[in-house]
Amino acid sequence: MGSPFFMFGLPKAAQEAPMSRILGIDYGGKRTGLAVTDPLQVSVNALTTVHSASLLEYLDTYLDQHEVETIVVGYPLNSEGDETDATPLVKGFVRKARKRYPAYNIVTWDERYSSQEARQAMMAQGIPKKQRQQKAAIDKASAAVILQSYLGVL
């Protein structure tokens, strides 16, 4: 189980934790934001933004190179909890992803307010206004918010 020096001081749960990541996706019509946990599934980092048309090809490569156990896809709902105009688009992507990646646990997760929370987090981190207004930056930060929310209930 690795070097005893590496294990020193880690809580027992961390020593026995799975060493695979959880991938978060904020799927959109044009762009998709991605975020990922560390292998111990403790912290979340915004990963990248890709064109939605090439997302499956990106995932093919990413999943081949990294150990991932779960893919969390943001599920668009309005403030009342009803589906939005974007929901069918996300449902279609999830259907394709489940067919293409049957070995992975693919779940949907309520993404309400994720963009607003992402903007607030970026502001709190001191990210300049010009960068906060870039949609690609917001998309990957939103994926991180969705994934952090998912982790919060595990």
Side-chain angles (χ1 to χ4, degrees):
M1 173 117 206
S3 163
F5 297 107
F6 175 75
M7 302 311 273
F8 182 75
L10 285 178
K12 187 165 180 64
Q15 295 174 24
E16 298 170 358
M19 299 297 280
S20 59
R21 300 170 187 271
I22 300 175
L23 186 65
I25 297 177
D26 182 24
Y27 189 80
K30 295 180 182 178
R31 289 172 316 279
T32 297
L34 294 120
V36 67
T37 66
D38 65 301
L40 293 175
Q41 301 176 4
V42 175
S43 66
V44 173
N45 292 300
L47 182 62
T48 191
T49 303
V50 298
H51 291 286
S52 296
S54 59
L55 177 60
L56 292 173
E57 290 77 18
Y58 177 88
L59 291 175
D60 289 343
T61 302
Y62 188 87
L63 295 173
D64 190 47
Q65 295 174 355
H66 301 277
E67 191 169 333
V68 173
E69 72 175 39
T70 301
I71 300 170
V72 178
V73 181
Y75 194 77
L77 299 171
N78 65 22
S79 58
E80 290 82 31
D82 298 322
E83 294 183 349
T84 70
D85 293 342
T87 306
L89 186 68
V90 171
K91 284 181 174 180
F93 166 73
V94 169
R95 193 171 27 259
K96 289 178 191 173
R98 285 182 174 149
K99 185 174 181 180
R100 190 164 180 149
Y101 310 113
Y104 295 90
N105 180 29
I106 300 175
V107 298
T108 57
W109 195 254
D110 184 348
E111 69 171 28
R112 276 182 279 187
Y113 309 113
S114 62
S115 295
Q116 294 91 328
E117 289 179 36
R119 284 187 191 94
Q120 290 172 351
M122 292 168 75
M123 190 179 309
Q125 293 170 6
I127 294 173
K129 184 176 182 179
K130 188 172 184 177
Q131 189 175 350
R132 290 193 316 259
Q133 292 174 333
Q134 295 174 358
K135 292 182 180 184
I138 295 168
D139 290 339
K140 67 182 178 180
S142 295
V145 167
I146 293 164
L147 189 50
Q148 189 65 52
S149 172
Y150 176 80
L151 284 179
V153 299
L154 291 183

